[in-house]
Amino acid sequence: MAAGRTLDGPKAALSAAYWVFVLYLLGPLLLMTAMSFKAAEFIAFPIGETTLDWYAKVVQDGQFLSAVGYSILIAAATTLFATVIGTWIALVVSAESLWLRSLVFALACLPAVVPGMIQAISVRIFIATLDVPTGTGAIIFGHTLHAVPFVMIMALTRLRTMPGSLVDAARDLGADPVVAFLRVTLPYLKPALYGGMIFCALLSIDDFVRTFFLGGYRTTLPMLIFARLQGGMSPEINAMATLVLLTTAVVGLYAEQLTRKARTR
Amino acid sequence: MTSLPADTTHRAEAGAKPPASAPRYAPGYGRLMRSPFYRATLGLLAENRAARLAVFIGVPLLWIAIAHVGPIVQLVRISLLQHYPITDGSSPSYTVANYWAFLSEPLYSLPLMRSVVFAFCVTLVTLIVVYPVAYYVAKIVRPQNRTRALLLLLIPFWAGEVIRTFSVIMLLANRGALNVLLREIGLIDRPIPMLYNYFSLSFGVIYLVCLYMLLPLYSAMEKIPNHLLDAAADLGAGPFTRFGRIILPLSKDGIVSGCSLVFLTTIGVFATPILLGGPSTGLFPETIAAFFHGASDKWPVGAAMAVVMLAASLGLAALFMRLVGGKRSARFL
């Protein structure tokens, strides 16, 4: 770094590093997208003639459509459960008078730090000892377990900025604790919860390892793409993956903006 | 939320409480609070402090005990069993033989070593690669452009493990973009085999985890006040001194949480090694998974390995946090 002495040398180098990193992050995904327009049967560069046929094929692919439906079903259930439980835990953790607060917080965070693979196996063993079969319920349980800490942390960061006097005032004005929660705390939490809900849904839709160990015969989207990858590859997978990528990226960016707003407002 | 005619609820309530004290505003909630159904369920709970606390604290504690702790406890229990499906009527016998089987068999312990070393290297490389980028976004990009610069990096974050791994194959395959490009410019005449070895594996895993490093680093650096840097520069500190004495120490929290997140994620990746790894790159998750594919009689050994891996990964992450000494609250973004 000989340029370190001039003022603009390091800045230019850092700027270059940023753009190389952007290229690194987006390049492979752009290549994947580009390949979905290839006219020929096999995946290889250069692309040559282009076509939209693969998209037409994907949209008519029964397996793909059923995987989309199944993924959305699981994501919706996961979002519902994880949001309720995560918010509830956050409320308990933020209650000041609780002596075992830090223990509850640490245990609530546990699923976020246990490596995904181990969590999947432990839940697999757990449901086997309870005689619960693998399948939809098990997947939803596994995904919910994974998402709860994230919702809790998002709700907690929002709760921390909330003046306690708001709830006190509601109580003074005749609201019982339940109504005070519904009328004051919940609306205050709303932006963080919207962000958290989208986050849950995307975590669930993207998840592979938990579904792999807990799933039954129906496949979710990542499972389907994984299975197709291990079979013969054709640009149809690219079209499929591109559709999923576009959807999740748009929804994810929207959620990111939402939580950012929630944090700063 | 059944709503009976208003006058009956009033009559039922009249003895206990004068109607004047009923809340006038938010009539919907007032009606809700007065409805018999509510009074019999949530209202009862709201009025009884002990019951309210029991439900309020009890439900989350029950969930945490069952869902967060239960599976780990079961994992440990199964790992100590001599035989797994326990036959009816016989009492389970406990043993540590499963752990010995793991320790004495290099076929099992070697992949663990490989996984730990691999995760360590990935963490280090990711830190070195991402640190300047995080610094650029947090400190050099003008504040009004900062969110945009960050969001550009977050686009791939939401594509899952499988899709991102697949996109790496597009780049590195024998007839992938990189090889074709190199051949077009005439640097090589035969494709370099880049897939199914440590190169493709680390490339793919770093691709997968680098944003877990970026976000904590960014949020730590964003908090460094600019006037500290200006003051240091005024007092004659060069860029390297400023980096070593101000930026590095003040971004320590971000380094700790980023490295822990990346390490723990890397240890647990599963799909990427299957798709991008080769015969020589067997990592520990694949070894463990083999025990869970067939019948459940091999579960105890697999569970023992999972316990070892869990202890190793959490232990190393905790040790790292202790050594570098980040704040406890900084563990997450």
Side-chain angles (χ1 to χ4, degrees):
Chain A
M1 285 254 271
R5 288 201 193 138
T6 67
L7 202 68
D8 286 317
K11 277 189 189 175
L14 283 171
S15 163
Y18 172 79
W19 287 109
V20 168
F21 192 67
V22 168
L23 189 70
Y24 169 69
L25 280 180
L26 298 185
L29 293 172
L30 290 176
L31 291 174
M32 182 185 84
T33 305
M35 188 61 80
S36 68
F37 298 112
K38 184 183 168 110
E41 224 6 92
F42 50 94
I43 296 181
F45 284 95
I47 286 171
E49 280 179 47
T50 58
T51 174
L52 281 173
D53 285 355
W54 297 113
Y55 286 92
K57 224 174 170 182
V58 166
V59 176
Q60 288 160 11
D61 185 335
Q63 272 185 323
F64 174 72
L65 295 178
S66 112
V68 169
Y70 194 49
S71 276
I72 290 178
L73 171 82
I74 288 173
T78 300
T79 306
L80 179 70
F81 293 132
T83 310
V84 171
I85 298 167
T87 313
W88 200 329
I89 297 178
L91 288 170
V92 169
V93 170
S94 71
E96 269 165 39
S97 55
L98 205 61
W99 58 271
L100 70 179
R101 198 160 65 151
S102 53
L103 178 70
V104 173
F105 179 73
L107 286 180
C109 288
L110 190 64
V113 292
V114 171
M117 157 84 189
I118 307 233
Q119 194 174 48
I121 285 177
S122 68
V123 172
R124 175 78 189 84
I125 289 178
F126 184 62
I127 62 167
T129 54
L130 296 179
D131 275 334
V132 177
T134 54
T136 313
I139 300 178
I140 293 174
F141 177 72
H143 287 188
T144 305
L145 179 61
H146 181 50
V148 159
F150 297 101
V151 179
M152 181 198 69
I153 287 165
M154 283 178 173
L156 262 183
T157 31
R158 181 77 179 154
L159 275 175
R160 239 173 242 149
T161 65
M162 176 168 149
S165 51
L166 287 182
V167 173
D168 293 343
R171 296 296 307 278
D172 281 350
L173 292 170
D176 68 21
V178 177
V179 172
F181 169 73
L182 290 177
R183 288 272 289 166
V184 179
T185 315
L186 201 58
Y188 190 85
L189 277 176
K190 221 191 268 170
L193 289 188
Y194 285 154
M197 284 166 88
I198 298 177
F199 195 90
C200 286
L202 290 175
L203 272 186
S204 162
I205 284 183
D206 285 345
D207 183 78
F208 175 78
V209 65
R210 290 169 192 81
T211 318
F212 184 84
F213 282 101
L214 300 174
Y217 296 103
R218 293 184 68 182
T219 55
T220 61
L221 272 176
M223 297 285 289
L224 180 72
I225 294 175
F226 182 80
R228 295 275 174 97
L229 277 179
Q230 292 204 308
M233 290 204 213
S234 86
E236 192 190 339
I237 311 177
N238 292 69
M240 209 182 273
T242 303
L243 288 178
V244 179
L245 168 71
L246 277 181
T247 318
T248 50
V250 168
V251 176
L253 288 180
Y254 174 70
E256 179 64 30
Q257 219 139 13
L258 215 61
T259 42
R260 203 158 287 278
K261 242 185 248 164
R263 218 173 291 162
T264 50
R265 212 186 327 169
Chain B
M1 276 168 255
T2 54
S3 54
L4 290 183
D7 56 339
T8 49
T9 45
H10 270 293
R11 218 176 299 144
E13 207 191 7
K17 234 189 232 175
S21 73
R24 292 243 174 95
Y25 20 81
Y29 282 90
R31 211 181 305 141
L32 169 71
M33 281 175 74
R34 272 182 269 115
S35 72
F37 177 73
Y38 178 84
R39 296 195 69 81
T41 52
L42 283 175
L44 212 63
L45 216 57
E47 269 161 33
N48 185 338
R49 195 181 139 75
R52 190 173 76 228
L53 277 182
V55 171
F56 174 64
I57 298 177
V59 172
L61 286 191
L62 202 65
W63 163 265
I64 289 176
I66 291 176
H68 294 199
V69 181
I72 305 288
V73 171
Q74 279 299 338
L75 183 74
V76 174
R77 198 178 75 90
I78 298 278
S79 78
L80 293 169
L81 282 179
Q82 208 151 26
H83 304 289
Y84 178 62
I86 303 162
T87 42
D88 289 330
S90 67
S91 62
S93 48
Y94 293 95
T95 169
V96 287
N98 300 321
Y99 289 90
W100 280 121
F102 163 76
L103 285 174
S104 57
E105 177 57 73
L107 201 65
Y108 301 152
S109 50
L110 213 60
L112 175 68
M113 293 297 150
R114 216 180 274 154
S115 261
V116 169
V117 173
F118 178 71
F120 181 78
C121 295
V122 163
T123 309
L124 193 69
V125 173
T126 312
L127 176 66
I128 295 169
V129 168
V130 171
Y131 198 93
V133 177
Y135 179 76
Y136 177 77
V137 178
K139 285 284 138 212
I140 296 184
V141 173
R142 267 174 285 148
Q144 64 266 32
N145 294 334
R146 209 170 280 159
T147 313
R148 221 173 301 151
L150 198 61
L151 286 183
L152 189 61
L153 299 178
L154 287 183
I155 293 173
F157 188 67
W158 297 110
E161 187 181 358
V162 175
I163 290 183
R164 278 161 79 185
T165 306
F166 173 49
S167 73
V168 168
I169 298 180
M170 295 293 103
L171 183 69
L172 299 181
N174 276 350
R175 296 196 56 188
L178 207 56
N179 268 321
V180 170
L181 181 75
L182 288 178
R183 200 161 38 179
E184 285 297 308
I185 3 177
L187 277 178
I188 53 172
D189 27 69
R190 170 178 334 170
I192 310 170
M194 285 186 274
L195 271 187
Y196 313 122
N197 50 34
Y198 274 114
F199 173 72
S200 60
L201 184 56
S202 13
F203 191 97
V205 172
I206 293 174
Y207 188 62
L208 202 65
V209 297
C210 56
L211 289 172
Y212 294 119
M213 185 69 89
L214 181 82
L215 293 177
L217 279 181
Y218 169 78
S219 58
M221 287 183 193
E222 199 192 15
K223 290 187 195 108
I224 301 176
N226 274 330
H227 54 77
L228 280 185
L229 296 170
D230 295 341
D234 285 348
L235 294 170
F240 292 106
T241 318
R242 271 179 283 161
F243 174 77
R245 301 278 303 266
I246 299 176
I247 300 166
L248 198 58
L250 287 180
S251 61
K252 202 169 69 179
D253 281 355
I255 297 178
V256 170
S257 42
C259 287
S260 313
L261 273 176
V262 166
F263 184 80
L264 291 172
T265 314
T266 305
I267 283 260
V269 287
F270 181 62
T272 311
I274 296 180
L275 292 171
L276 288 178
S280 66
T281 63
L283 293 179
F284 203 48
E286 292 168 76
T287 315
I288 299 180
F291 286 90
F292 289 87
H293 283 320
S296 56
D297 58 324
K298 283 182 180 162
W299 281 12
V301 183
M305 291 184 178
V307 170
V308 171
M309 182 171 148
L310 180 65
S313 52
L314 289 184
L316 286 171
L319 182 74
F320 174 72
M321 283 193 231
R322 178 62 60 85
L323 284 181
V324 186
K327 269 184 276 164
R328 278 195 59 180
S329 58
R331 238 183 294 171
F332 294 95
L333 316 184

